[in-house]
Amino acid sequence: MYIRVKRNKTTYFIQCDPTETILNIKQKLQSITDHPPNNQRLILLATNNILDDSKTLADQKVENDAVVALALRKDNEFEEVSIADPSDYMASS
Amino acid sequence: MVGKGGEAAASAQHKEEHEEDGDMVGVVKLISAEGFEFVIDKKAAMVSNTLRNMLTSPGGFAETREGEVRFPEISTAILEKICQYFYWSLHYASGKETAEFPIEPEITLELMMAANYLDT
């Protein structure tokens, strides 16, 4: 399966397995974004639940193609969830 | 390479990194008309013959050396659908299990045009 991790105008497609923990996912994100797991917060968009590092994707009902928001820690506080909407942007062409 | 300084060593290492870009490992960034970015596994991008050619051709395209491909003609919604299709295809192309790939009727035409361009 895969999940879509979104922040602002960026979407990361992460290939994963229902038995993987959220920490595993954060480690995969670290390899792409360079942000360590403890600076990442993942929120399942469908329920607004903050996902727990120690639990698995299946435990927290994160299914194939789920959209998960990424918030990063800035100055000891996590930023607000922000996902840009394409309809707010005009195509450049 | 360890302990060797100098420009020659640095540029040799740089070259190696570029050559590794042709592998199946790592990620590529696809950028839509509105400037939205989709970061996907290289092996997912390889589902598209057009992207495969860009990513594997010797010398390479400037964009793919950077790990970024811009699609000024493809809208964000369509590009996201295409990325979903890449992953769906990776999972289900084996034919062992099947699931429908859902396509909303209102995007069908635009999606077909993009799929045709990407040879997917």
Side-chain angles (χ1 to χ4, degrees):
Chain A
M1 66 179 256
Y2 67 90
I3 58 170
R4 288 175 282 160
V5 178
K6 293 185 178 243
R7 178 173 177 267
N8 299 334
K9 292 175 81 176
T10 304
T11 302
Y12 305 97
F13 278 71
I14 305 290
Q15 208 165 20
C16 53
D17 198 83
T19 56
E20 285 182 76
T21 64
I22 299 303
L23 188 61
N24 290 146
I25 303 298
K26 288 184 176 176
Q27 285 161 346
K28 289 184 185 180
L29 280 167
Q30 181 180 17
S31 69
I32 310 174
T33 64
D34 281 339
H35 295 287
N38 58 354
N39 284 351
Q40 300 174 25
R41 174 181 280 173
L42 294 176
I43 301 111
L44 182 62
L45 216 58
T47 60
N48 246 343
N49 285 338
I50 296 176
L51 298 173
D52 192 329
D53 277 4
S54 60
K55 292 188 187 160
T56 67
L57 293 166
D59 282 344
Q60 300 180 92
K61 307 275 185 292
V62 181
E63 291 170 343
N64 184 43
D65 196 40
V67 179
V68 173
L70 170 65
L72 295 174
R73 190 199 295 274
K74 299 253 166 82
D75 307 321
N76 271 332
E77 259 186 77
F78 280 102
E79 65 192 2
E80 293 280 317
V81 168
S82 160
I83 296 173
D85 179 351
S87 61
D88 294 340
Y89 293 83
M90 293 294 285
S92 54
S93 57
Chain B
M1 204 65 76
V2 179
K4 291 262 181 215
E7 264 178 38
S11 89
Q13 191 175 18
H14 205 163
K15 191 159 176 265
E16 271 177 22
E17 279 168 15
H18 276 177
E19 280 166 5
E20 279 171 18
D21 282 351
D23 287 342
M24 297 288 271
V25 294
V27 293
V28 285
K29 189 187 277 185
L30 309 183
I31 304 174
S32 74
E34 295 89 356
F36 280 60
E37 301 178 345
F38 294 93
V39 180
I40 64 172
D41 289 296
K42 222 168 240 185
K43 65 171 189 286
M46 296 284 187
V47 170
S48 153
N49 287 319
T50 303
L51 284 171
R52 173 187 289 272
N53 288 339
M54 283 181 169
L55 294 169
T56 56
S57 62
F61 291 70
E63 301 95 319
T64 50
R65 278 206 302 275
E66 309 282 322
E68 284 185 10
V69 189
R70 288 182 178 274
F71 295 103
E73 314 278 307
I74 303 182
S75 74
T76 303
I78 299 295
L79 194 56
E80 178 155 29
K81 202 74 192 172
I82 286 165
C83 293
Q84 288 172 284
Y85 173 74
F86 289 163
Y87 280 85
W88 178 90
S89 173
L90 277 186
H91 192 89
Y92 292 109
S94 63
K96 270 178 273 181
E97 29 173 357
T98 52
E100 291 270 324
F101 183 72
I103 294 173
E104 296 79 5
E106 60 272 24
I107 65 165
T108 307
L109 178 62
E110 216 185 325
L111 190 63
M112 295 279 274
M113 284 166 22
N116 181 47
Y117 169 66
L118 287 168
D119 195 1
T120 290

